[in-house]
Amino acid sequence: MKKSAIRQIRSLSMPFSTPEPFLFCVYHKDEYPAGNEKMEAPRRGTGSDFNPKAKYRMYHGDKIPGFPQHPHRGFETITATIEGIIDHTDSLKCGGRYGQGDLQWMTAGKGIVHGEMFPLVNMDRPNPTRFFQIWINLPKKNKMVDPDYIMHWAEEVKKFETKDKKTKVTVWAGELEGVAALEPPKNSWAKDPKNDVAVWHITLNPGAKYTIPPAKGGKDINRTFYFIEGKQLEIESQEIEPKSRIDVNAGLPVEIKVSDKAQRSSELLMLQGKPIGEPVAQHGPFVMNTQQEIMQAFTDYQRTRFGGWPWPEDAMVFSRDKGRFSKKGKKVEYPPGGKPQKSEKKEL
């Protein structure tokens, strides 16, 4: 009899609990309505609006949803978008607008302040937003590197599809059947192939059946699936309840399946990687190895503000007509086929 790869199944928490080397994961799904002329929502936020039962959340935003300027140190954020728009600004004077399948990978390192706002750019139709924000730890040797970020445009993000086209996988990190993700930042734990880090968004249409191969690092690699969308899913011939976390033995193949009688597609997020194996001390936006280092992070932030905030607003957004772009220093990049908008010189 075939040995099942499943180790444990549990209900999803919010935020998702994650295995090493990951620290945190949130699946943002907000049905934002049409915005006004200032890209604002119809209601104001409370300052901490995270109601999971609401149609949409304002988070820490006031009139525009999102997360105004806040600091980080000691880890990385992976912001992997599916729908919607995010405006990024930071203490390095970098900024950008991305979404609609783009991925931003930011190394906080020794310290950065950034803002992530979700302007409601559409006035004539809703502004649905779906994305994951994933925190992945840095090893001690890289916790105090210079902060940085990279953009992976949707047009270049790698994807895998089965021959029957019923299973589709967006490969944000790692490699699947010869489809290798774009490069992570140079100081990331994911940069070393031996760490076998993978982040995949898996869509299974009705009738899909696919076997995910074992991780290259075998059973010592952590591998977890999150059943985020859909009503029906089987893993290793076991029926899985929606909104479940499934931990598996990464040294074994994993069969995933959706019945041909299912009414809709099912979606999974997969997180995989070798544990860093170092002590983790975390307090809010800082992740270090000891409590003393956490205290030092607060002291450093109070003293330096990690370079200060160079933008005119704490909750900075760009003009409505601005397309997707990424600005680092004096260099401005656009997705393939993208071009500057009229408002660019005035804003940047």
Side-chain angles (χ1 to χ4, degrees):
M1 184 176 178
K2 178 180 177 292
K3 182 179 179 181
S4 174
I6 295 176
R7 285 177 168 167
Q8 185 178 26
I9 302 173
R10 62 188 108 165
S11 297
L12 282 183
S13 59
M14 284 295 177
F16 299 167
S17 58
T18 55
E20 272 208 83
F22 301 94
L23 299 160
F24 170 99
C25 178
V26 172
Y27 173 44
H28 290 268
K29 182 181 181 182
D30 292 285
E31 298 297 330
Y32 293 119
N36 64 16
E37 65 279 358
K38 296 181 179 179
M39 301 178 287
E40 298 169 339
R43 66 177 176 86
R44 300 186 74 158
T46 62
S48 186
D49 181 3
F50 289 82
N51 181 3
K53 296 181 180 180
K55 194 171 183 179
Y56 66 88
R57 285 140 290 278
M58 297 295 289
Y59 302 104
H60 295 312
D62 179 20
K63 297 179 180 180
I64 296 177
F67 297 84
Q69 62 142 315
H70 56 281
H72 290 304
R73 171 181 277 186
F75 64 101
E76 296 185 295
T77 62
I78 302 171
T79 308
T81 68
I82 302 169
E83 292 182 277
I85 288 293
I86 300 173
D87 280 2
H88 164 89
T89 46
D90 65 39
S91 53
L92 301 178
K93 300 182 180 180
C94 300
R97 171 168 287 174
Y98 66 100
Q100 302 167 354
D102 301 328
L103 178 140
Q104 185 205 67
W105 196 317
M106 186 183 80
T107 304
K110 65 183 180 183
I112 193 170
V113 180
H114 78 149
E116 304 155 291
M117 302 304 297
F118 317 142
L120 308 189
V121 296
N122 299 321
M123 294 180 64
D124 57 348
R125 61 187 186 277
N127 290 272
T129 298
R130 283 210 299 153
F131 68 93
F132 298 98
Q133 179 153 109
I134 302 159
W135 292 11
I136 181 171
N137 206 0
L138 286 168
K140 182 177 179 63
K141 67 177 184 176
N142 288 343
K143 283 191 175 292
M144 296 297 285
V145 298
D146 290 337
D148 192 16
Y149 84 91
I150 58 174
M151 286 298 310
H152 292 161
W153 301 113
E155 293 85 349
E156 298 171 332
V157 168
K158 304 303 181 183
K159 297 185 178 182
F160 167 82
E161 184 176 62
T162 54
K163 290 182 179 179
D164 64 7
K165 300 187 181 302
K166 291 182 178 180
T167 301
K168 299 178 181 180
V169 183
T170 302
V171 184
W172 284 317
E175 180 268 336
L176 175 62
E177 295 203 32
V179 177
L182 299 173
E183 284 289 312
K186 62 183 179 182
N187 292 303
S188 177
W189 183 248
K191 184 68 174 177
D192 188 342
K194 294 179 182 178
N195 296 331
D196 212 359
V197 172
V199 180
W200 302 339
H201 178 219
I202 305 167
T203 300
L204 300 158
N205 293 325
K209 182 178 179 181
Y210 179 62
T211 299
I212 295 176
K216 294 177 181 178
K219 63 181 178 59
D220 294 331
I221 301 297
N222 287 331
R223 176 182 272 183
T224 298
F225 295 92
Y226 301 88
F227 183 14
I228 58 162
E229 293 287 347
K231 299 294 184 182
Q232 198 278 327
L233 175 70
E234 290 181 34
I235 296 183
E236 295 289 86
S237 301
Q238 183 170 337
E239 192 75 23
I240 305 296
E241 290 293 319
K243 312 302 180 189
S244 291
R245 166 183 166 166
I246 308 97
D247 298 322
V248 301
N249 180 343
L252 297 174
V254 181
E255 183 184 88
I256 54 178
K257 178 182 177 182
V258 169
S259 169
D260 57 8
K261 296 180 181 180
Q263 298 299 306
R264 54 176 290 195
S265 299
S266 293
E267 296 181 37
L268 299 166
L269 172 71
M270 193 201 78
L271 299 181
Q272 171 186 296
K274 177 182 176 181
I276 293 175
E278 296 175 351
V280 176
Q282 181 174 352
H283 191 100
F286 305 138
V287 183
M288 302 301 289
N289 298 108
T290 68
Q291 286 301 318
Q292 183 177 0
E293 290 170 336
I294 293 291
M295 293 173 64
Q296 186 63 50
F298 277 100
T299 299
D300 291 347
Y301 176 60
Q302 290 168 359
R303 180 174 56 86
T304 70
R305 295 291 165 179
F306 295 161
W309 188 246
W311 302 91
E313 303 289 341
D314 287 345
M316 183 69 188
V317 295
F318 299 102
S319 60
R320 179 192 312 280
D321 65 345
K322 197 161 193 63
R324 292 146 59 217
F325 75 99
S326 174
K327 175 183 179 292
K328 293 177 67 176
K330 295 182 179 180
K331 185 177 181 181
V332 181
E333 296 180 352
Y334 302 92
K339 58 182 180 179
Q341 303 294 316
K342 293 180 180 179
S343 60
E344 180 181 314
K345 288 187 179 180
K346 182 172 69 174
E347 289 186 311
L348 299 180

